[in-house]
């Protein structure tokens, strides 16, 4: 999958958007003619939402679209009417400015049998680029990587930039984000391509040199450093990110500093980072670590944020053995 136009100013054509929407609804979600389909969007993602709604309307007689103002923070709960609509749908797609992936609303909907995908922070260019992919191949790469880490008690990640962090998996389950969501209760990001886990604990240092909100793609040589002790981030080199977490901590205390996720990208079509966390965290051979909420992905921490940071050149060890990353 090419990423050449993922961040340029060229506006994708209506035909390109429709093709991406068709891929999402058919190849990825396998929407049936007898199923209800909910599109959740917001005021800044209206064109993508309306395109998905139009394509869903060509497949099923029961499409619904709901739109609300962009949320205040990634991981913040959507309004109650949106949560209720998610809970009642067979299939959902959520192109939104702020992520609802790690929310109770999304998690409850899937627990009740809905299947769907969120597209947090999606742009029209990333939508077109990221859905131009062979998701069956991505599924194969994800399963191959999963076989190398499943059952390991600890994962260590190092990098030339200074990362050296060990995460304890405990009883937590590795999850696969393949983009193929055909079973009831299934969930994925789109664009897709990663395996991930919510660690029981972690200790060490990680250095983000790829993409991280609110900065986007970091400049060459720019780095964000995080110190982690006993599962919590204790030092943050960046003022803006520190302020976001401090604000969340006013509501939930220490949980805002939780080391929430370890993910490994498996999308071999993404051959460069473009500044979109949604796309860049899927790049094959990268690692991302997240701070904050993980209750919706197998953890126990409920926090109003989920901040992913991407490492470009990681080496990953499962119980001391280096694993082969997709490339």
């Amino acid at each position: 999958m090419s990423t050449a136009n993922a961040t340029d100013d060229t506006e994708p054509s209506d035909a390109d958007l429709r093709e991406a929407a068709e891929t999402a609804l058919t190849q990825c979600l396998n929407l049936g003619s007898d199923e209800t389909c909910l599109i959740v969007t917001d005021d800044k993602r209206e064109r993508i939402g309306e395109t998905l709604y139009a394509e869903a309307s060509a497949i099923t007689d029961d499409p619904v679209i709901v739109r609300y103002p962009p949320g205040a923070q990634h991981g913040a709960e959507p309004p109650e009417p949106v949560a209720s609509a998610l809970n009642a749908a067979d299939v959902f797609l959520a192109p939104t400015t702020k992520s609802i992936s790690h929310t109770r609303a999304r998690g409850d909907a899937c627990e009740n049998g809905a299947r769907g995908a969120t597209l947090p922070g999606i742009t029209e260019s990333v939508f077109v680029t990221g859905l131009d992919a062979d998701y069956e191949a991505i599924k194969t790469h994800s399963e191959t990587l999963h076989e190398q880490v499943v059952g390991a008690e600890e994962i260590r990640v190092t990098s030339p930039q200074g990362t050296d962090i060990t995460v304890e998996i405990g009883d937590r389950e590795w999850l696969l984000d393949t983009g193929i969501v055909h079973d009831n209760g299934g969930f994925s990001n789109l664009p897709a391509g990663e395996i991930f886990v919510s660690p029981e604990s972690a200790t060490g240092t990680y250095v983000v040199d790829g993409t991280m909100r609110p900065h986007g793609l970091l400049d060459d040589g720019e780095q964000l450093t995080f110190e982690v002790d006993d599962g919590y981030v204790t030092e943050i080199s960046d003022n803006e990110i520190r302020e976001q977490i401090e604000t969340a901590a006013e509501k939930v205390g220490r949980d805002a500093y939780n080391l929430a996720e370890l993910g490994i990208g498996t999308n071999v079509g993404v051959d460069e980072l473009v500044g979109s966390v949604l796309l860049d965290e899927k790049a094959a051979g990268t690692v991302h670590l997240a701070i904050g909420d993980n209750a919706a992905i197998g953890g126990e921490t409920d926090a109003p944020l989920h901040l992913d940071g991407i490492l470009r050149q990681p080496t990953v060890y499962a119980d001391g053995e280096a694993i082969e990353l997709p490339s």
Side-chain angles (χ1 to χ4, degrees), residues 20-40:
E22 182 181 8
T23 297
L25 288 160
T26 57
Q27 183 181 356
C28 295
L29 288 169
N30 195 32
L31 176 63
S33 60
D34 60 342
E35 293 182 303
T36 61
C37 181
L38 173 69
I39 309 301
V40 176

Side-chain angles (χ1 to χ4, degrees), residues 151-196:
E153 294 182 1
E154 65 177 33
I155 302 292
R156 181 186 177 203
V157 181
T158 64
S159 78
Q161 292 73 27
T163 296
D164 192 344
I165 186 169
T166 299
V167 301
E168 298 175 16
I169 305 303
D171 294 330
R172 302 288 172 80
E173 179 182 0
W174 283 92
L175 303 176
L176 287 77
D177 179 39
T178 66
I180 302 296
V181 191
H182 294 182
D183 296 330
N184 292 341
F187 170 69
S188 178
N189 269 162
L190 288 176
E194 65 171 294
I195 68 169
F196 58 98

Side-chain angles (χ1 to χ4, degrees), residues 5 10 69 111 123 142 162 203 218 243 246 252 306:
N5 296 320
T10 303
E111 286 184 9
T123 66
S142 300
T203 298
L218 302 182
E243 289 171 2
E246 287 174 349
V252 297
H306 183 90

Side-chain angles (χ1 to χ4, degrees), residues 66-98:
V66 296
R67 193 180 87 191
Y68 67 103
Q73 176 61 273
H74 298 287
E77 293 295 324
E80 181 56 37
V82 175
S84 296
L86 281 165
N87 211 36
D90 294 323
V91 174
F92 66 86
L93 279 159
T96 55
T97 304
K98 301 297 185 180

